[in-house]
Amino acid sequence: MNGTKFDSLREQVRGQIITPGDADYDAARAVYNGMIDKRPAAVVRVSQVADVIACVNFARDNSLDLAIRGGGHSAPGFGTWDDALVIDFSNTSGVRVDPANKTARSEAGATWADFNHATHAFGLATTGGIIGSTGVAGLTLGGGIGYLARKYGLSCDNLIAADVVTADGKFLTASESENEDLFWALRGGGGNFGVVTSLEYRLHPVDMVHAGIIIYPMEHAETVAKFYRDHLDSAPEEFGAFLAFALGPPVPFLPEEWHGKPVAVVVGMWTGDQAEGPSRWKPFLDVAPVAGSMVGPMPYPALNQAFDPLMPKGLQAYWKADFLAELSDGAIAAHLDFGSRVPSVQTAVHLYPIDGAVQRVGADDTAFANRNVKFAPVIAGIWQDPAENEANIAWVKEYAAALRPYSAPGGYINFMDRDDLPRVAENYGPNFSRLREVKAKYDPQNLFHINQNIPPA
């Protein structure tokens, strides 16, 4: 379908339509994962909801594949697709805060950096990701794990309402009182049910936090991992931190001798009384020799964006994920084996805690069913050189296979890659059949299939 075929769509939208041959086509088709090299028929940088409605109707009526892009961080590159019409929300990134009611409404193209900047001005926040350039919408629709999850639940647990354009071009609001089945499905079911154009969140008092980034030599990783596991069992929910295995990053507080060397890392924050911050981090500073650390008060958005310099757009990426009911000694042993062979400084192996407030939501209260597990590990293979793709992908797959015997069923959908589609049913467990019914109601022809797809019943 050449550019002239989109003339009728141009008459219906105010946003920019970019087609092959346009000067900025290559930039418009690119997503964060540099491994993805798709050539869509057109990319529409929408400016408002009316543009979205027009795009959905055009794609459906012309039998075009439809891809939706918010932040563009999808590891499988679902924000672009060969011969598809891409709805790109990068020009719609506003966030409006209502401080009196402690809520915020975000447009679909906002990133967590945008969102946290807006809410921090009022001393408020909600659970978001750990990379500022991650899209608000995509993270939330897949669940939304972050530093605040133990205290305030997942991003989707803090969602109050969402505006959605469905496959028939209708505009709906989904909430606890409107289109309740759709609202249930959106909270963890991904982009399967429509194009979300805005999201309203519940906010919480989060301003300055007592942050910690503590890096240990790999030889002490077993001690650190077991202490982290045991400490979290009794830690107050105001303490949110993840365990990581990485190569020492080039940061000022880590001596150069550790740059590029295998290390274990604990990263997180204390959101309670700031006077307690030093005492909350002291056990982690004492448990084993420390190669480098940064512990102290920090604005919450600064911690949320601390790793952004390591994650520029265009790196190669391949991810795998599981859930852990417990961080067993066997799982720790697997992490020590592969964690000592991390292939690049960008590669991120993280174990996120999802206990506390996450587990006080019922397994069938939202589409995100995995409320009885304690950790969501991700093996996020990320590197620069495409010549290393085969070796790095093999390392990620072998790592995931080594963890599988110690894992619970399923895995966090936001960490799944393009070859994980066969695991979708397992990921949603007992909620899968209900999700298929909702899909059949709102998208019976599976227009929204460029995702971790849930087929209609």
Side-chain angles (χ1 to χ4, degrees):
M1 181 173 281
N2 60 41
T4 60
K5 298 294 185 181
F6 290 95
D7 286 348
S8 63
L9 182 60
R10 287 188 172 91
E11 296 172 358
Q12 301 174 59
V13 303
R14 289 193 169 185
Q16 181 185 14
I17 299 179
I18 303 166
T19 57
D22 289 339
D24 48 356
Y25 175 72
D26 283 339
R29 69 187 181 91
V31 290
Y32 261 81
N33 187 350
M35 193 182 295
I36 307 302
D37 185 25
K38 303 293 187 182
R39 302 190 65 85
V43 177
V44 184
R45 290 175 176 158
V46 295
S47 65
Q48 53 188 272
V49 172
D51 291 358
V52 176
I53 294 172
C55 288
V56 168
N57 289 335
F58 187 87
R60 184 194 63 242
D61 294 344
N62 288 278
S63 301
L64 281 171
D65 285 331
L66 185 63
I68 315 301
R69 184 191 307 164
H73 265 259
S74 162
F78 288 143
T80 190
W81 206 254
D82 284 332
D83 301 318
L85 177 64
V86 175
I87 296 178
D88 182 350
F89 281 103
S90 57
N91 288 340
T92 59
S93 58
V95 179
R96 185 184 183 279
V97 181
D98 180 348
N101 291 313
K102 294 186 172 60
T103 61
R105 179 167 287 277
S106 169
E107 292 183 310
T111 65
W112 284 106
D114 297 326
F115 189 93
N116 292 330
H117 175 74
T119 61
H120 185 69
F122 302 95
L124 299 168
T126 201
T127 305
I130 67 158
I131 300 293
S133 53
T134 302
V136 169
L139 188 91
T140 301
L141 295 177
I145 296 171
Y147 295 113
L148 292 169
R150 298 188 73 232
K151 178 65 175 176
Y152 296 121
L154 304 172
S155 302
C156 72
D157 298 335
N158 290 281
L159 188 65
I160 298 171
D163 290 337
V164 188
V165 176
T166 52
D168 55 4
K170 291 182 179 177
F171 177 81
L172 302 176
T173 295
S175 70
E176 291 286 5
S177 58
E178 297 179 81
N179 301 299
E180 298 92 334
D181 55 348
L182 179 59
F183 185 56
W184 174 86
L186 291 175
R187 288 175 291 166
N192 275 282
F193 309 97
V195 185
V196 174
T197 60
S198 71
L199 308 97
E200 184 179 7
Y201 294 89
R202 184 179 304 106
L203 302 178
H204 309 278
V206 180
D207 191 355
M208 295 294 289
V209 300
H210 208 93
I213 303 175
I214 305 176
I215 302 174
Y216 308 87
M218 195 65 190
E219 64 189 276
H220 302 293
E222 182 176 7
T223 298
V224 172
K226 290 181 176 179
F227 175 79
Y228 169 84
R229 173 191 66 192
D230 297 340
H231 184 82
L232 237 61
D233 271 344
S234 58
E237 292 173 3
E238 288 82 1
F239 186 81
F242 65 84
L243 173 67
F245 301 94
L247 296 183
V251 292
F253 59 87
L254 183 66
E256 191 171 345
E257 65 187 278
W258 290 105
H259 293 184
K261 300 289 181 60
V263 293
V265 190
V266 174
V267 182
M269 63 187 192
W270 168 256
T271 61
D273 184 348
Q274 288 298 288
E276 295 182 34
S279 65
R280 293 296 177 181
W281 281 106
K282 190 175 187 302
F284 286 92
L285 294 169
D286 292 343
V287 67
V290 173
S293 67
M294 182 177 68
V295 178
M298 183 183 295
Y300 170 66
L303 179 62
N304 181 254
Q305 295 171 231
F307 301 104
D308 286 15
L310 289 173
M311 302 294 176
K313 188 173 183 177
L315 296 174
Q316 309 293 296
Y318 181 79
W319 295 23
K320 282 285 171 279
D322 277 299
F323 285 120
L324 298 178
E326 300 284 347
L327 181 52
S328 65
D329 288 351
I332 289 174
H335 278 297
L336 297 180
D337 179 14
F338 284 86
S340 65
R341 295 183 275 126
V342 171
S344 70
V345 72
Q346 295 89 6
T347 290
V349 180
H350 294 173
L351 285 83
Y352 296 101
I354 48 174
D355 57 350
V358 178
Q359 296 188 351
R360 289 195 291 276
V361 177
D364 59 357
D365 288 349
T366 68
F368 187 95
N370 311 98
R371 305 285 182 169
N372 61 344
V373 295
K374 287 189 175 181
F375 296 97
V378 56
I379 309 164
I382 305 170
W383 60 95
Q384 291 183 325
D385 188 353
E388 299 173 356
N389 285 7
E390 185 176 349
N392 282 291
I393 290 172
W395 178 83
V396 172
K397 287 182 174 180
E398 290 167 10
Y399 198 150
L403 279 180
R404 195 63 44 78
Y406 311 103
S407 300
Y412 181 36
I413 204 78
N414 283 343
F415 292 159
M416 293 293 173
D417 216 298
R418 51 196 171 277
D419 54 0
D420 285 312
L421 189 60
R423 299 188 66 194
V424 169
E426 176 192 358
N427 293 338
Y428 290 112
N431 287 343
F432 187 62
S433 59
R434 182 177 172 188
L435 282 164
R436 292 192 65 193
E437 292 171 2
V438 178
K439 175 75 169 181
K441 177 178 177 181
Y442 292 97
D443 184 19
Q445 301 304 315
N446 205 8
L447 177 66
F448 306 110
H449 65 270
I450 300 174
N451 46 41
Q452 296 290 352
N453 194 236
I454 298 168

